[in-house]
Amino acid sequence: MVDGLLQVHGGRPLRGEITVRGAKNLVPKAMVAALLGRTPSVLRNVPLIRDVDVVSGLLSLHGVSIDYDQTEGILSLDSSSVESAHMADIDAHAGSSRIPILFCGPLLHRLGEAFIPDLGGCRIGDRPIDYHLNILRSFGAVVDKQAMGIRLTAPHGLHGTVIDLPYPSVGATEQTLLTAVRAEGLTELRGAAIEPEIMDLVDVLQKMGAIISVDTDRTIHIEGVDELVGYTHTALPDRIEAASWASAALATHGDVFVRGAHQSDMTT
């Protein structure tokens, strides 16, 4: 590593063994889900990635107590004393990640309001947050776009709804799940994403007491409950990381044993 740049000198076969840690596309979302529980949560197989730091910072700003054993990959989150954060402190995270938009539903349930800074994240095509905001509006949220970000309130609470996605968006599916589990009444999500990471998030929420069923036609039904508890969960292995190691071994004519990879997830 030189001046923040990673230099790779190739020309040699990769050989050895590597253990895959938890999925990047699940762990930060499971951390956000902990906001919904009135008792502590424990997440295992947590990778050392920037999104974990970003979400940890945002959770801490909202009164969540966090203990992260990086060596063991165990994250403990206590959200029993969730509180509003100062707008300026939240804004300090502006542009660092798109994950803060997923805080909206849980914070509306816990505090009745949420403030989300301008969002950044990796730019893979056009991923406007209006998609998320329209979903939140359908639950009854009031969205106020301000200079520093977006303020949301729920003066009449959040209520179940019917959402028909034009395509199976992962982010929109996550937003709906995290909001619907404590919204009053029934929510039906049509055209949902059903990637392994989504199914693992469903598993997390069910451990917390959520009532969720997934049909074979990509329809998810969620029955809102009054209260959720914390979870203990081991994140599924990162299939993208596993595939990357496998590809590197093939490209270099090497021999790499990728420990912890799930074959069933690799075929999706």
Side-chain angles (χ1 to χ4, degrees):
M1 182 80 71
V2 179
D3 296 330
L5 298 177
L6 186 63
Q7 296 182 339
V8 179
H9 301 280
R12 300 178 181 177
L14 289 183
R15 302 186 186 280
E17 179 178 318
I18 188 75
T19 299
V20 178
R21 277 209 167 174
K24 171 185 181 294
N25 290 328
L26 176 277
V27 168
K29 291 66 178 290
M31 293 172 65
V32 174
L35 273 173
L36 293 162
R38 61 176 176 81
T39 57
S41 296
V42 177
L43 185 59
R44 304 180 186 276
N45 202 24
V46 177
L48 286 168
I49 57 174
R50 186 167 181 269
D51 276 348
V52 169
D53 293 334
V54 171
V55 177
S56 294
L58 287 168
L59 288 172
S60 295
L61 289 176
H62 288 91
V64 178
S65 175
I66 299 175
D67 180 30
Y68 184 17
D69 184 336
Q70 295 184 353
T71 302
E72 297 296 326
I74 299 175
L75 191 63
S76 301
L77 309 102
D78 185 350
S79 60
S80 57
S81 301
V82 174
E83 60 187 17
S84 296
H86 294 293
M87 188 177 296
D89 292 334
I90 300 175
D91 190 56
H93 290 266
S96 60
S97 173
R98 285 182 174 266
I99 290 175
I101 190 66
L102 297 179
F103 276 66
C104 295
L107 287 178
L108 286 171
H109 285 303
R110 293 296 301 269
L111 301 174
E113 65 175 1
F115 177 80
I116 307 301
D118 291 334
L119 301 176
C122 59
R123 302 187 65 84
I124 305 176
D126 184 22
R127 299 189 295 178
I129 64 169
D130 283 348
Y131 205 12
H132 290 262
L133 298 180
N134 287 335
I135 289 173
L136 292 163
R137 288 189 182 100
S138 72
F139 281 101
V142 176
V143 178
D144 180 19
K145 294 185 179 181
Q146 302 176 349
M148 294 181 65
I150 301 168
R151 183 174 183 268
L152 299 98
T153 56
H156 304 294
L158 299 178
H159 301 271
T161 185
V162 176
I163 298 172
D164 198 344
L165 299 181
Y167 67 93
S169 164
V170 170
T173 300
E174 293 164 342
Q175 185 71 259
T176 302
L177 288 169
L178 291 167
T179 305
V181 287
R182 284 198 56 195
E184 182 180 347
L186 299 173
T187 295
E188 181 177 293
L189 174 60
R190 303 168 182 167
I194 54 172
E195 278 82 346
E197 295 80 12
I198 291 289
M199 294 298 97
D200 214 34
L201 179 59
V202 168
D203 193 14
V204 168
L205 293 169
Q206 288 174 331
K207 288 179 178 180
M208 300 179 75
I211 303 174
I212 305 172
S213 62
V214 182
D215 295 341
T216 56
D217 62 350
R218 291 183 177 268
T219 299
I220 300 178
H221 295 91
I222 308 104
E223 181 179 345
V225 297
D226 293 333
E227 187 176 72
L228 294 172
V229 297
Y231 62 81
T232 296
H233 185 76
T234 299
L236 83 168
D238 195 312
R239 59 194 173 116
I240 298 175
E241 179 187 343
S244 298
W245 287 116
S247 299
L250 287 171
T252 62
H253 302 286
D255 185 1
V256 177
F257 180 70
V258 184
R259 184 176 296 278
H262 287 176
Q263 182 180 4
S264 58
D265 294 340
M266 302 290 291
T267 59
T268 58

Short mmCIF file of all heavy atoms in Angstrom, two decimals, residues 81-144:
data_model
loop_
_atom_site.label_atom_id
_atom_site.label_comp_id
_atom_site.label_asym_id
_atom_site.label_seq_id
_atom_site.Cartn_x
_atom_site.Cartn_y
_atom_site.Cartn_z
N SER A 81 -32.13 2.80 23.80
CA SER A 81 -32.24 4.23 24.12
C SER A 81 -32.04 5.09 22.88
O SER A 81 -31.21 6.00 22.85
CB SER A 81 -31.20 4.60 25.19
OG SER A 81 -31.38 3.86 26.37
N VAL A 82 -32.81 4.80 21.84
CA VAL A 82 -32.71 5.56 20.60
C VAL A 82 -33.15 7.00 20.83
O VAL A 82 -34.13 7.27 21.53
CB VAL A 82 -33.57 4.92 19.49
CG1 VAL A 82 -33.60 5.79 18.24
CG2 VAL A 82 -33.03 3.54 19.16
N GLU A 83 -32.41 7.94 20.25
CA GLU A 83 -32.72 9.35 20.41
C GLU A 83 -32.45 10.09 19.11
O GLU A 83 -31.76 9.59 18.22
CB GLU A 83 -31.87 9.96 21.53
CG GLU A 83 -30.37 9.86 21.27
CD GLU A 83 -29.54 10.30 22.46
OE1 GLU A 83 -30.10 10.38 23.57
OE2 GLU A 83 -28.34 10.56 22.28
N SER A 84 -33.02 11.28 19.01
CA SER A 84 -32.79 12.10 17.82
C SER A 84 -31.35 12.60 17.80
O SER A 84 -30.76 12.87 18.85
CB SER A 84 -33.75 13.29 17.80
OG SER A 84 -35.09 12.87 17.71
N ALA A 85 -30.81 12.72 16.61
CA ALA A 85 -29.44 13.21 16.45
C ALA A 85 -29.48 14.65 15.95
O ALA A 85 -30.46 15.09 15.35
CB ALA A 85 -28.67 12.33 15.48
N HIS A 86 -28.41 15.38 16.22
CA HIS A 86 -28.31 16.74 15.72
C HIS A 86 -28.13 16.73 14.21
O HIS A 86 -27.36 15.94 13.66
CB HIS A 86 -27.14 17.47 16.38
CG HIS A 86 -27.31 17.68 17.86
ND1 HIS A 86 -28.27 18.52 18.38
CD2 HIS A 86 -26.66 17.14 18.92
CE1 HIS A 86 -28.19 18.50 19.70
NE2 HIS A 86 -27.22 17.67 20.06
N MET A 87 -28.84 17.62 13.55
CA MET A 87 -28.82 17.66 12.10
C MET A 87 -27.40 17.85 11.56
O MET A 87 -27.00 17.22 10.58
CB MET A 87 -29.73 18.79 11.59
CG MET A 87 -29.93 18.81 10.09
SD MET A 87 -31.08 20.11 9.56
CE MET A 87 -32.60 19.58 10.34
N ALA A 88 -26.63 18.71 12.21
CA ALA A 88 -25.26 18.97 11.74
C ALA A 88 -24.39 17.72 11.84
O ALA A 88 -23.55 17.47 10.97
CB ALA A 88 -24.64 20.11 12.54
N ASP A 89 -24.60 16.92 12.89
CA ASP A 89 -23.81 15.70 13.05
C ASP A 89 -24.17 14.68 11.98
O ASP A 89 -23.30 14.01 11.41
CB ASP A 89 -24.05 15.10 14.44
CG ASP A 89 -23.48 15.96 15.55
OD1 ASP A 89 -22.52 16.71 15.27
OD2 ASP A 89 -23.99 15.89 16.68
N ILE A 90 -25.47 14.57 11.69
CA ILE A 90 -25.89 13.64 10.64
C ILE A 90 -25.35 14.10 9.29
O ILE A 90 -24.89 13.30 8.47
CB ILE A 90 -27.42 13.53 10.59
CG1 ILE A 90 -27.97 13.02 11.92
CG2 ILE A 90 -27.86 12.60 9.46
CD1 ILE A 90 -29.49 13.00 11.99
N ASP A 91 -25.37 15.40 9.08
CA ASP A 91 -24.92 15.95 7.81
C ASP A 91 -23.44 15.69 7.56
O ASP A 91 -22.99 15.68 6.42
CB ASP A 91 -25.21 17.45 7.76
CG ASP A 91 -24.99 18.03 6.37
OD1 ASP A 91 -25.62 17.52 5.42
OD2 ASP A 91 -24.17 18.96 6.23
N ALA A 92 -22.69 15.47 8.65
CA ALA A 92 -21.27 15.16 8.50
C ALA A 92 -21.06 13.87 7.73
O ALA A 92 -19.99 13.63 7.16
CB ALA A 92 -20.60 15.07 9.87
N HIS A 93 -22.09 13.02 7.68
CA HIS A 93 -22.01 11.76 6.95
C HIS A 93 -22.53 11.89 5.52
O HIS A 93 -22.59 10.91 4.79
CB HIS A 93 -22.81 10.68 7.68
CG HIS A 93 -22.18 10.24 8.97
ND1 HIS A 93 -21.33 9.17 9.06
CD2 HIS A 93 -22.28 10.76 10.21
CE1 HIS A 93 -20.94 9.03 10.31
NE2 HIS A 93 -21.50 9.98 11.03
N ALA A 94 -22.93 13.10 5.14
CA ALA A 94 -23.50 13.28 3.80
C ALA A 94 -22.51 12.85 2.73
O ALA A 94 -21.34 13.15 2.77
CB ALA A 94 -23.88 14.75 3.60
N GLY A 95 -23.01 12.13 1.76
CA GLY A 95 -22.19 11.71 0.65
C GLY A 95 -21.36 10.48 0.91
O GLY A 95 -20.71 9.97 0.02
N SER A 96 -21.37 9.97 2.13
CA SER A 96 -20.50 8.83 2.46
C SER A 96 -21.11 7.49 2.07
O SER A 96 -20.40 6.53 1.85
CB SER A 96 -20.18 8.83 3.95
OG SER A 96 -21.37 8.72 4.71
N SER A 97 -22.42 7.42 1.99
CA SER A 97 -23.06 6.15 1.69
C SER A 97 -24.53 6.39 1.36
O SER A 97 -25.12 7.38 1.79
CB SER A 97 -22.95 5.20 2.89
OG SER A 97 -23.70 4.03 2.69
N ARG A 98 -25.11 5.46 0.62
CA ARG A 98 -26.55 5.53 0.34
C ARG A 98 -27.37 4.81 1.41
O ARG A 98 -28.59 4.90 1.42
CB ARG A 98 -26.86 4.93 -1.03
CG ARG A 98 -26.46 5.84 -2.18
CD ARG A 98 -26.82 5.24 -3.53
NE ARG A 98 -26.55 6.19 -4.59
CZ ARG A 98 -27.44 7.03 -5.09
NH1 ARG A 98 -28.67 7.04 -4.61
NH2 ARG A 98 -27.12 7.87 -6.06
N ILE A 99 -26.73 4.12 2.30
CA ILE A 99 -27.45 3.35 3.30
C ILE A 99 -28.30 4.22 4.24
O ILE A 99 -29.35 3.76 4.71
CB ILE A 99 -26.45 2.47 4.09
CG1 ILE A 99 -25.94 1.36 3.18
CG2 ILE A 99 -27.10 1.87 5.33
CD1 ILE A 99 -24.88 0.51 3.79
N PRO A 100 -27.92 5.48 4.54
CA PRO A 100 -28.76 6.28 5.45
C PRO A 100 -30.22 6.38 5.05
O PRO A 100 -31.08 6.57 5.92
CB PRO A 100 -28.08 7.65 5.42
CG PRO A 100 -26.64 7.34 5.20
CD PRO A 100 -26.65 6.18 4.24
N ILE A 101 -30.56 6.23 3.77
CA ILE A 101 -31.96 6.30 3.38
C ILE A 101 -32.76 5.17 4.02
O ILE A 101 -33.97 5.30 4.25
CB ILE A 101 -32.10 6.25 1.83
CG1 ILE A 101 -33.53 6.57 1.39
CG2 ILE A 101 -31.67 4.91 1.28
CD1 ILE A 101 -33.97 7.97 1.67
N LEU A 102 -32.09 4.06 4.36
CA LEU A 102 -32.79 2.94 4.98
C LEU A 102 -33.07 3.17 6.46
O LEU A 102 -33.80 2.40 7.08
CB LEU A 102 -31.97 1.65 4.80
CG LEU A 102 -31.77 1.19 3.35
CD1 LEU A 102 -30.93 -0.08 3.32
CD2 LEU A 102 -33.11 0.94 2.66
N PHE A 103 -32.52 4.24 7.02
CA PHE A 103 -32.81 4.58 8.41
C PHE A 103 -34.22 5.15 8.57
O PHE A 103 -34.76 5.19 9.68
CB PHE A 103 -31.82 5.64 8.92
CG PHE A 103 -30.52 5.08 9.42
CD1 PHE A 103 -29.63 4.44 8.58
CD2 PHE A 103 -30.16 5.21 10.76
CE1 PHE A 103 -28.43 3.94 9.03
CE2 PHE A 103 -28.96 4.71 11.23
CZ PHE A 103 -28.09 4.07 10.37
N CYS A 104 -34.82 5.61 7.48
CA CYS A 104 -36.07 6.36 7.56
C CYS A 104 -37.19 5.60 8.27
O CYS A 104 -37.77 6.10 9.24
CB CYS A 104 -36.52 6.77 6.16
SG CYS A 104 -35.42 7.92 5.33
N GLY A 105 -37.51 4.41 7.77
CA GLY A 105 -38.61 3.65 8.37
C GLY A 105 -38.39 3.36 9.84
O GLY A 105 -39.25 3.67 10.68
N PRO A 106 -37.25 2.75 10.21
CA PRO A 106 -37.01 2.47 11.63
C PRO A 106 -37.05 3.72 12.51
O PRO A 106 -37.61 3.68 13.62
CB PRO A 106 -35.61 1.84 11.62
CG PRO A 106 -35.53 1.16 10.29
CD PRO A 106 -36.24 2.10 9.35
N LEU A 107 -36.48 4.84 12.05
CA LEU A 107 -36.48 6.05 12.88
C LEU A 107 -37.89 6.64 12.99
O LEU A 107 -38.26 7.17 14.04
CB LEU A 107 -35.52 7.08 12.30
CG LEU A 107 -34.03 6.79 12.50
CD1 LEU A 107 -33.18 7.86 11.83
CD2 LEU A 107 -33.68 6.68 13.98
N LEU A 108 -38.67 6.55 11.93
CA LEU A 108 -40.05 7.03 12.01
C LEU A 108 -40.84 6.22 13.03
O LEU A 108 -41.66 6.77 13.77
CB LEU A 108 -40.72 6.96 10.64
CG LEU A 108 -40.28 8.02 9.63
CD1 LEU A 108 -40.83 7.71 8.24
CD2 LEU A 108 -40.72 9.41 10.07
N HIS A 109 -40.57 4.92 13.09
CA HIS A 109 -41.26 4.09 14.08
C HIS A 109 -40.79 4.40 15.50
O HIS A 109 -41.60 4.44 16.43
CB HIS A 109 -41.02 2.61 13.77
CG HIS A 109 -41.79 2.09 12.60
ND1 HIS A 109 -43.16 2.17 12.52
CD2 HIS A 109 -41.38 1.49 11.46
CE1 HIS A 109 -43.56 1.63 11.38
NE2 HIS A 109 -42.50 1.21 10.72
N ARG A 110 -39.50 4.61 15.67
CA ARG A 110 -38.95 4.81 17.02
C ARG A 110 -39.11 6.24 17.52
O ARG A 110 -39.34 6.47 18.70
CB ARG A 110 -37.47 4.42 17.04
CG ARG A 110 -37.17 2.95 16.82
CD ARG A 110 -37.74 2.06 17.93
NE ARG A 110 -37.25 2.38 19.25
CZ ARG A 110 -36.17 1.82 19.81
NH1 ARG A 110 -35.47 0.91 19.14
NH2 ARG A 110 -35.81 2.15 21.04
N LEU A 111 -38.95 7.22 16.62
CA LEU A 111 -38.90 8.62 17.05
C LEU A 111 -40.00 9.50 16.45
O LEU A 111 -40.22 10.61 16.92
CB LEU A 111 -37.54 9.23 16.68
CG LEU A 111 -36.31 8.54 17.27
CD1 LEU A 111 -35.04 9.17 16.69
CD2 LEU A 111 -36.31 8.65 18.79
N GLY A 112 -40.64 9.02 15.39
CA GLY A 112 -41.66 9.83 14.74
C GLY A 112 -41.10 10.79 13.72
O GLY A 112 -41.85 11.52 13.07
N GLU A 113 -39.77 10.80 13.56
CA GLU A 113 -39.15 11.67 12.57
C GLU A 113 -37.79 11.11 12.18
O GLU A 113 -37.21 10.27 12.88
CB GLU A 113 -38.97 13.09 13.12
CG GLU A 113 -38.00 13.18 14.29
CD GLU A 113 -37.75 14.62 14.73
OE1 GLU A 113 -38.35 15.54 14.13
OE2 GLU A 113 -36.97 14.82 15.67
N ALA A 114 -37.29 11.57 11.05
CA ALA A 114 -35.97 11.15 10.58
C ALA A 114 -35.40 12.26 9.72
O ALA A 114 -36.14 12.97 9.02
CB ALA A 114 -36.06 9.85 9.78
N PHE A 115 -34.08 12.42 9.79
CA PHE A 115 -33.39 13.36 8.91
C PHE A 115 -32.31 12.60 8.18
O PHE A 115 -31.49 11.91 8.78
CB PHE A 115 -32.77 14.52 9.69
CG PHE A 115 -32.00 15.46 8.80
CD1 PHE A 115 -32.68 16.43 8.06
CD2 PHE A 115 -30.63 15.36 8.67
CE1 PHE A 115 -31.98 17.28 7.21
CE2 PHE A 115 -29.93 16.21 7.83
CZ PHE A 115 -30.61 17.18 7.10
N ILE A 116 -32.32 12.70 6.87
CA ILE A 116 -31.37 11.98 6.04
C ILE A 116 -30.55 12.98 5.24
O ILE A 116 -31.11 13.83 4.54
CB ILE A 116 -32.09 11.01 5.08
CG1 ILE A 116 -33.04 10.11 5.87
CG2 ILE A 116 -31.08 10.19 4.30
CD1 ILE A 116 -32.37 9.26 6.92
N PRO A 117 -29.22 12.91 5.32
CA PRO A 117 -28.38 13.84 4.58
C PRO A 117 -28.35 13.51 3.09
O PRO A 117 -28.89 12.49 2.66
CB PRO A 117 -27.00 13.64 5.21
CG PRO A 117 -27.02 12.21 5.65
CD PRO A 117 -28.43 11.95 6.11
N ASP A 118 -27.71 14.37 2.32
CA ASP A 118 -27.49 14.07 0.91
C ASP A 118 -26.73 12.76 0.81
O ASP A 118 -25.83 12.48 1.61
CB ASP A 118 -26.67 15.18 0.23
CG ASP A 118 -27.47 16.46 0.10
OD1 ASP A 118 -28.71 16.36 0.06
OD2 ASP A 118 -26.85 17.54 0.07
N LEU A 119 -27.08 11.96 -0.18
CA LEU A 119 -26.54 10.61 -0.25
C LEU A 119 -25.54 10.45 -1.38
O LEU A 119 -25.70 11.00 -2.46
CB LEU A 119 -27.68 9.61 -0.44
CG LEU A 119 -28.73 9.62 0.68
CD1 LEU A 119 -29.86 8.68 0.35
CD2 LEU A 119 -28.10 9.27 2.00
N GLY A 120 -24.51 9.65 -1.11
CA GLY A 120 -23.50 9.37 -2.13
C GLY A 120 -23.55 7.91 -2.51
O GLY A 120 -24.55 7.42 -2.98
N GLY A 121 -22.45 7.19 -2.25
CA GLY A 121 -22.39 5.77 -2.57
C GLY A 121 -21.82 5.53 -3.95
O GLY A 121 -21.56 6.45 -4.72
N CYS A 122 -21.61 4.26 -4.27
CA CYS A 122 -21.05 3.94 -5.58
C CYS A 122 -22.06 4.27 -6.67
O CYS A 122 -23.25 4.06 -6.51
CB CYS A 122 -20.67 2.45 -5.64
SG CYS A 122 -22.02 1.31 -5.36
N ARG A 123 -21.60 4.80 -7.76
CA ARG A 123 -22.48 5.25 -8.83
C ARG A 123 -22.57 4.16 -9.90
O ARG A 123 -21.76 4.07 -10.80
CB ARG A 123 -21.97 6.56 -9.43
CG ARG A 123 -21.84 7.68 -8.40
CD ARG A 123 -21.52 8.99 -9.08
NE ARG A 123 -22.59 9.44 -9.94
CZ ARG A 123 -23.65 10.12 -9.52
NH1 ARG A 123 -23.79 10.39 -8.24
NH2 ARG A 123 -24.57 10.51 -10.38
N ILE A 124 -23.58 3.32 -9.78
CA ILE A 124 -23.84 2.29 -10.78
C ILE A 124 -25.14 2.68 -11.47
O ILE A 124 -26.23 2.34 -11.03
CB ILE A 124 -23.95 0.90 -10.14
CG1 ILE A 124 -22.70 0.58 -9.33
CG2 ILE A 124 -24.18 -0.17 -11.20
CD1 ILE A 124 -22.77 -0.73 -8.59
N GLY A 125 -25.03 3.45 -12.52
CA GLY A 125 -26.23 3.93 -13.18
C GLY A 125 -26.92 4.98 -12.33
O GLY A 125 -26.37 5.55 -11.40
N ASP A 126 -28.18 5.23 -12.64
CA ASP A 126 -28.96 6.24 -11.95
C ASP A 126 -29.84 5.58 -10.91
O ASP A 126 -30.70 4.77 -11.23
CB ASP A 126 -29.83 6.99 -12.97
CG ASP A 126 -30.60 8.13 -12.32
OD1 ASP A 126 -30.17 8.59 -11.25
OD2 ASP A 126 -31.62 8.55 -12.90
N ARG A 127 -29.59 5.89 -9.62
CA ARG A 127 -30.38 5.29 -8.55
C ARG A 127 -30.98 6.40 -7.69
O ARG A 127 -30.54 6.67 -6.58
CB ARG A 127 -29.50 4.37 -7.69
CG ARG A 127 -28.90 3.23 -8.49
CD ARG A 127 -28.23 2.22 -7.58
NE ARG A 127 -27.08 2.79 -6.90
CZ ARG A 127 -26.34 2.12 -6.02
NH1 ARG A 127 -26.66 0.89 -5.70
NH2 ARG A 127 -25.30 2.69 -5.45
N PRO A 128 -32.00 7.11 -8.23
CA PRO A 128 -32.57 8.23 -7.50
C PRO A 128 -33.26 7.79 -6.22
O PRO A 128 -33.92 6.75 -6.18
CB PRO A 128 -33.57 8.82 -8.50
CG PRO A 128 -33.95 7.67 -9.38
CD PRO A 128 -32.70 6.85 -9.49
N ILE A 129 -33.12 8.61 -5.16
CA ILE A 129 -33.74 8.25 -3.89
C ILE A 129 -35.23 8.54 -3.89
O ILE A 129 -35.93 8.14 -2.96
CB ILE A 129 -33.05 8.97 -2.72
CG1 ILE A 129 -33.25 10.48 -2.83
CG2 ILE A 129 -31.58 8.60 -2.64
CD1 ILE A 129 -32.83 11.21 -1.58
N ASP A 130 -35.74 9.23 -4.92
CA ASP A 130 -37.18 9.47 -4.99
C ASP A 130 -37.95 8.16 -4.98
O ASP A 130 -39.09 8.10 -4.51
CB ASP A 130 -37.53 10.27 -6.25
CG ASP A 130 -37.18 11.75 -6.11
OD1 ASP A 130 -36.90 12.17 -4.98
OD2 ASP A 130 -37.18 12.46 -7.13
N TYR A 131 -37.35 7.12 -5.50
CA TYR A 131 -37.96 5.79 -5.48
C TYR A 131 -38.25 5.40 -4.03
O TYR A 131 -39.34 4.93 -3.69
CB TYR A 131 -36.97 4.82 -6.12
CG TYR A 131 -37.58 3.58 -6.72
CD1 TYR A 131 -38.95 3.44 -6.89
CD2 TYR A 131 -36.76 2.52 -7.11
CE1 TYR A 131 -39.49 2.30 -7.45
CE2 TYR A 131 -37.28 1.37 -7.67
CZ TYR A 131 -38.65 1.27 -7.83
OH TYR A 131 -39.17 0.13 -8.37
N HIS A 132 -37.27 5.61 -3.15
CA HIS A 132 -37.43 5.30 -1.73
C HIS A 132 -38.45 6.22 -1.08
O HIS A 132 -39.29 5.79 -0.28
CB HIS A 132 -36.09 5.43 -1.01
CG HIS A 132 -35.10 4.38 -1.37
ND1 HIS A 132 -34.88 3.26 -0.60
CD2 HIS A 132 -34.25 4.28 -2.42
CE1 HIS A 132 -33.94 2.51 -1.16
NE2 HIS A 132 -33.54 3.11 -2.26
N LEU A 133 -38.37 7.50 -1.42
CA LEU A 133 -39.26 8.47 -0.80
C LEU A 133 -40.72 8.20 -1.15
O LEU A 133 -41.61 8.36 -0.31
CB LEU A 133 -38.87 9.88 -1.22
CG LEU A 133 -37.46 10.33 -0.81
CD1 LEU A 133 -37.18 11.75 -1.29
CD2 LEU A 133 -37.27 10.23 0.70
N ASN A 134 -40.98 7.78 -2.38
CA ASN A 134 -42.35 7.46 -2.77
C ASN A 134 -42.89 6.26 -2.00
O ASN A 134 -44.07 6.20 -1.65
CB ASN A 134 -42.42 7.21 -4.27
CG ASN A 134 -42.28 8.48 -5.08
OD1 ASN A 134 -42.58 9.57 -4.60
ND2 ASN A 134 -41.81 8.35 -6.32
N ILE A 135 -42.01 5.30 -1.73
CA ILE A 135 -42.42 4.15 -0.92
C ILE A 135 -42.79 4.61 0.49
O ILE A 135 -43.82 4.21 1.04
CB ILE A 135 -41.29 3.10 -0.87
CG1 ILE A 135 -41.16 2.41 -2.24
CG2 ILE A 135 -41.54 2.07 0.23
CD1 ILE A 135 -39.98 1.48 -2.35
N LEU A 136 -41.95 5.46 1.07
CA LEU A 136 -42.23 5.96 2.42
C LEU A 136 -43.52 6.79 2.44
O LEU A 136 -44.30 6.71 3.40
CB LEU A 136 -41.04 6.79 2.91
CG LEU A 136 -39.78 5.97 3.18
CD1 LEU A 136 -38.55 6.87 3.25
CD2 LEU A 136 -39.92 5.16 4.47
N ARG A 137 -43.75 7.56 1.40
CA ARG A 137 -45.01 8.32 1.32
C ARG A 137 -46.21 7.39 1.30
O ARG A 137 -47.25 7.69 1.89
CB ARG A 137 -45.01 9.20 0.07
CG ARG A 137 -44.08 10.41 0.12
CD ARG A 137 -44.34 11.32 -1.07
NE ARG A 137 -43.44 12.47 -1.09
CZ ARG A 137 -42.35 12.55 -1.85
NH1 ARG A 137 -42.01 11.54 -2.65
NH2 ARG A 137 -41.59 13.63 -1.81
N SER A 138 -46.07 6.26 0.61
CA SER A 138 -47.20 5.33 0.52
C SER A 138 -47.56 4.74 1.88
O SER A 138 -48.70 4.33 2.10
CB SER A 138 -46.89 4.22 -0.49
OG SER A 138 -45.93 3.32 0.02
N PHE A 139 -46.59 4.72 2.80
CA PHE A 139 -46.86 4.26 4.17
C PHE A 139 -47.46 5.37 5.03
O PHE A 139 -47.92 5.11 6.14
CB PHE A 139 -45.57 3.77 4.83
CG PHE A 139 -45.15 2.39 4.42
CD1 PHE A 139 -44.15 2.20 3.49
CD2 PHE A 139 -45.76 1.27 4.98
CE1 PHE A 139 -43.75 0.93 3.12
CE2 PHE A 139 -45.37 -0.01 4.61
CZ PHE A 139 -44.37 -0.19 3.67
N GLY A 140 -47.41 6.61 4.54
CA GLY A 140 -47.96 7.72 5.30
C GLY A 140 -46.94 8.74 5.76
O GLY A 140 -47.29 9.67 6.50
N ALA A 141 -45.69 8.60 5.34
CA ALA A 141 -44.66 9.55 5.75
C ALA A 141 -44.82 10.86 4.99
O ALA A 141 -45.24 10.88 3.83
CB ALA A 141 -43.27 8.97 5.49
N VAL A 142 -44.47 11.95 5.66
CA VAL A 142 -44.45 13.28 5.05
C VAL A 142 -43.00 13.64 4.79
O VAL A 142 -42.18 13.63 5.71
CB VAL A 142 -45.12 14.32 5.96
CG1 VAL A 142 -45.01 15.71 5.34
CG2 VAL A 142 -46.58 13.95 6.20
N VAL A 143 -42.68 13.97 3.55
CA VAL A 143 -41.30 14.22 3.15
C VAL A 143 -41.10 15.71 2.90
O VAL A 143 -41.84 16.33 2.14
CB VAL A 143 -40.95 13.43 1.87
CG1 VAL A 143 -39.52 13.73 1.43
CG2 VAL A 143 -41.15 11.93 2.11
N ASP A 144 -40.09 16.27 3.56
CA ASP A 144 -39.78 17.69 3.41
C ASP A 144 -38.32 17.81 2.98
O ASP A 144 -37.41 17.57 3.77
CB ASP A 144 -40.01 18.42 4.73
CG ASP A 144 -39.69 19.91 4.64
OD1 ASP A 144 -39.64 20.44 3.50
OD2 ASP A 144 -39.48 20.54 5.69
#
